[in-house]
Amino acid sequence: MSRRKGPSRRQFLTSAAALGATATAAKAAGPDPLITETQDWAMGLGDGVDATPYGLPIEYESDVVRRNVEWLTADTISSINFTPIHALDGTITPQGCAFERHHSGAIEMRKQDYRLMINGLVDRPLIFSYEDLERFPRENHVYFCECAANTGMEWAGAQLNGAQFTHGMIHNMEYTGVPLRTILAEAGLDAAGDFKDKWVYVEGADASSNGRSIPMEKAMDDVLVAFKANGEALRKEHGYPVRLVVPGWEGNMWVKWLRRVEVMDGPVESREETSKYTDVLADGVARKWTWVMDAKSVVTSPSPQAPITHGPGPVVITGLAWTGHGKITRVDVSKDGGKTWETARLAREGEDKALTRFYLDTVWDGEDWLLQSRAMDETGYVQPTKAQLRDVRGENSIYHNNCIQTWHVKPNGEAENVEVS
Amino acid sequence: AATGMRFGLGREAMAEEIAAWDVDVRPDGTGLPEGSGNAWDGEALFEENCAVCHGSFAEGVDNWPALAGGFGTLADKDPVKTVGSYWPYVSTVWDYVHRSMPFGNAQSLSDDDVYAIVAYILYSNDLIEDDFELSRDTILDVEMPNAEGFIVDDRAETEYTIWRTEPCMENCKDSVEITMRATVLDVTPEEDGADD
């Protein structure tokens, strides 16, 4: 991909301010040469259909990319990067810029080398090839995958300046795969006896293995063994050729490069569910098995990376809402830091455990805004403020920060990540 | 348990295959292999395989994880969560070291090596004596200080009951002040092309 050396956001803002609100086509002083002069693209020829067998976004969109934050982790192998949610719209995340989180890097495996083992309390321990998996009846579902640590850097205050960094450990894709229960049934579950207090332990083929314990009830409900996302094979960095999809639950459990599922009579209490993905409360006691991701939302535009550049007048406030408990039913937006709220418009009715797009079509008077969004889900749960969360948990939970986010939109159109009283 | 339709796909897993991949260790010690090691043996192995990142005394180098220390800090402003101060089970240490360490050369340690390295980590946390012979038979004798430090997710009782309520829409607070700004910290990466 070519790396455009264009104007920085700061320079752009400066020039936008210099030009003022008159620098729009509608208010142009004279005839617009883009219209009155014949442009190259209206005379010559574009690319042939053989130019791009598999295309990338046009170079002018080169800022819509994953980004990492160096200081967050010791190296880039066991690390995280961030989806550019500030620049996206709708709900489906393009796979090429959907966030990554690895514990020992994105491994490369051919389908021919792929094996899935089912063992433990089953009637017949089985080995499946990739081809075997494609012969089971398939399902399609759209779900969000949110890292348990999304927004985790913000527990103690406003740190990172952009929705990509504060809320971008998330993607939302249409998965094709086989229900885990179908595959477990193939191995036979008479040996498991009563499912109550039974578990599955799932692990990946990579060096970290990322082993996690999942209660049997969830395993038999909506967990998918997925091999396609957004219509095509999983990307290498997202678990090619096979990953687990665990709807509504923390991203860590969405084991990539899935190699083994073991039916057990108890949890393994692996590293990823003891040392990590446990949430320390104010008194030093930690919650474990905090699987579900609670209702959450964020305004993606305007936001620090998506300032208002057009001056006062009509503006679209937009963002994303989601909940691991089911469907989003309502999103409220405040422009004054939570004093008053307006109910936004959902682009589509909320879908089960999937991202929901909301819009508030409104007018900006050029004054300061303290923009917030507040999600509600079908269980009646209302997204809390950070103060509400801290009252229950303190500041050291690391994970599961689903607080209401505030952006300070300034008279020059810039937005900043702030905390408010 | 109810079983669904069978399709006759896959093949039976062989004992050798299960033995190769099913190496998880449970808190009660299930899954641990034969073998043993103590901190004396572990010290040299740790220096060779682990200290470059975790420090000679398991104290951690740079941003790499500290494996020892931090006792009594869990309720502090900045808790130090190590094997000694935080991890509830020895089984997890054995399982994780055996399966996923050293970082970049995982699954290269013998069972005896793992017992010895785990013994050295426990010794570095003052949890065992240097001549304690760690094995399948003795591992449950090690008392982990934070074994009782965990509760099962209680959000349903402590949060959901409070927050499932009709929210305020107007006159929700008298005043709003900005109390913190991300740009004061200035730790956000600049975008490409910015700041020439």
Side-chain angles (χ1 to χ4, degrees), chain A residues 119 125 127 161 186 203 207 209 260 262 269 278 286-288 292 294 337 339 341 393 416-417 419 421, chain B residues 7-9 11 13 24 86 92 99-100 149 151 154-155 159-160 169 172-173 177 179-181 183 188:
Chain A
N119 74 312
I127 304 286
N161 207 28
E186 192 69 17
E203 66 178 14
S209 104
R260 196 171 69 89
E262 180 180 1
E269 302 269 13
T278 50
R287 287 174 176 159
K288 66 175 181 179
V292 179
D294 292 327
K339 281 198 253 185
W341 296 85
R393 305 185 195 171
E416 184 184 0
N417 176 12
E419 265 188 27
S421 57
Chain B
F7 299 89
L9 293 169
R11 64 162 174 86
D24 54 69
Y86 192 61
T92 313
R99 184 200 307 256
S100 298
I151 55 169
D154 65 348
R155 283 176 289 176
E159 298 181 3
Y160 299 162
M169 294 299 285
C172 301
K173 27 176 144 164
E177 304 297 332
T179 55
M180 201 173 290
R181 295 179 176 278
T183 51
T188 309

Side-chain angles (χ1 to χ4, degrees), chain A residues 109-141:
Chain A
M109 191 197 303
R110 304 185 309 162
K111 284 177 180 170
Q112 298 93 303
D113 299 333
Y114 178 78
R115 300 288 184 273
L116 175 62
M117 177 185 291
I118 312 292
N119 74 312
L121 299 174
V122 294
D123 304 337
R124 297 164 296 277
L126 291 177
I127 304 286
F128 297 105
S129 66
Y130 177 83
E131 279 189 324
D132 291 333
L133 294 183
E134 284 203 343
R135 296 171 68 191
F136 284 106
R138 286 170 224 168
E139 293 183 7
N140 281 221
H141 297 278

Side-chain angles (χ1 to χ4, degrees), chain B residues 136-181:
Chain B
R136 192 160 63 183
D137 300 324
T138 64
I139 201 165
L140 292 182
D141 297 338
V142 180
E143 282 185 40
M144 297 294 273
N146 199 42
E148 303 301 318
F150 295 81
I151 55 169
V152 174
D153 184 4
D154 65 348
R155 283 176 289 176
E157 297 82 46
T158 56
E159 298 181 3
Y160 299 162
T161 48
I162 310 171
W163 298 335
R164 279 181 181 140
T165 173
E166 189 59 30
C168 176
M169 294 299 285
E170 283 180 29
N171 304 316
C172 301
K173 27 176 144 164
D174 294 332
S175 67
V176 174
E177 304 297 332
I178 292 174
T179 55
M180 201 173 290
R181 295 179 176 278

Side-chain angles (χ1 to χ4, degrees), chain A residues 3 8 10 71 75 103 117 119 124-128 135 137 157-161 165 186 189-190 193 195 201 203 207-209 259-260 262 264-271 274-275 278 280 282 284-290 292 294 325 330 332 336-341 370 374 379-382 388 393 396 398 408 416-421, chain B residues 1-13 17-18 21-27 63-64 74-77 79 81 86-89 92 96 99-100 103 106 149-155 158-160 163-183 185 187-196:
Chain A
R3 185 172 277 191
S8 72
R10 200 166 287 161
W71 56 264
D75 75 341
H103 293 80
M117 177 185 291
N119 74 312
R124 297 164 296 277
L126 291 177
I127 304 286
F128 297 105
R135 296 171 68 191
Q159 278 221 68
L160 287 161
N161 207 28
F165 302 109
E186 192 69 17
L189 289 168
D190 289 335
F195 287 168
Y201 182 67
E203 66 178 14
S208 83
S209 104
R259 84 167 191 185
R260 196 171 69 89
E262 180 180 1
M264 305 181 81
D265 60 8
V268 168
E269 302 269 13
S270 70
R271 185 250 196 184
T274 55
S275 170
T278 50
V280 176
V285 170
R287 287 174 176 159
K288 66 175 181 179
W289 304 343
T290 47
V292 179
D294 292 327
H325 293 282
R330 186 174 120 190
D332 298 328
D336 55 15
K339 281 198 253 185
T340 56
W341 296 85
L370 291 172
R374 180 177 70 190
T379 70
Y381 178 97
V382 182
Q388 284 177 298
R393 305 185 195 171
N396 286 323
I398 299 179
H408 175 208
E416 184 184 0
N417 176 12
V418 298
E419 265 188 27
V420 294
S421 57
Chain B
T3 38
M5 201 210 307
R6 286 200 66 206
F7 299 89
L9 293 169
R11 64 162 174 86
E12 193 115 0
E17 294 170 332
I18 295 173
W21 277 9
D22 181 354
V23 294
D24 54 69
V25 179
R26 301 266 297 270
N63 253 347
W64 297 100
L74 296 181
D76 291 358
K77 183 167 167 53
K81 298 190 286 181
Y86 192 61
W87 291 37
Y89 305 111
T92 313
Y96 186 67
R99 184 200 307 256
S100 298
F103 190 64
F150 295 81
I151 55 169
V152 174
D153 184 4
D154 65 348
R155 283 176 289 176
T158 56
E159 298 181 3
Y160 299 162
W163 298 335
R164 279 181 181 140
T165 173
E166 189 59 30
C168 176
M169 294 299 285
E170 283 180 29
N171 304 316
C172 301
K173 27 176 144 164
D174 294 332
S175 67
V176 174
E177 304 297 332
I178 292 174
T179 55
M180 201 173 290
R181 295 179 176 278
T183 51
L185 284 174
V187 291
T188 309
E190 283 289 342
E191 301 183 10
D192 287 351
D195 278 357
D196 293 333

Side-chain angles (χ1 to χ4, degrees), chain B residues 86-130:
Chain B
Y86 192 61
W87 291 37
Y89 305 111
V90 191
S91 59
T92 313
V93 191
W94 203 98
D95 177 285
Y96 186 67
V97 170
H98 175 239
R99 184 200 307 256
S100 298
M101 287 288 138
F103 190 64
N105 192 25
Q107 305 191 61
S108 61
L109 299 168
S110 72
D111 292 343
D112 284 340
D113 289 350
V114 176
Y115 276 112
I117 287 171
V118 172
Y120 183 71
I121 294 170
L122 297 172
Y123 169 72
S124 300
N125 280 288
D126 297 322
L127 299 177
I128 58 172
E129 300 295 325
D130 56 10

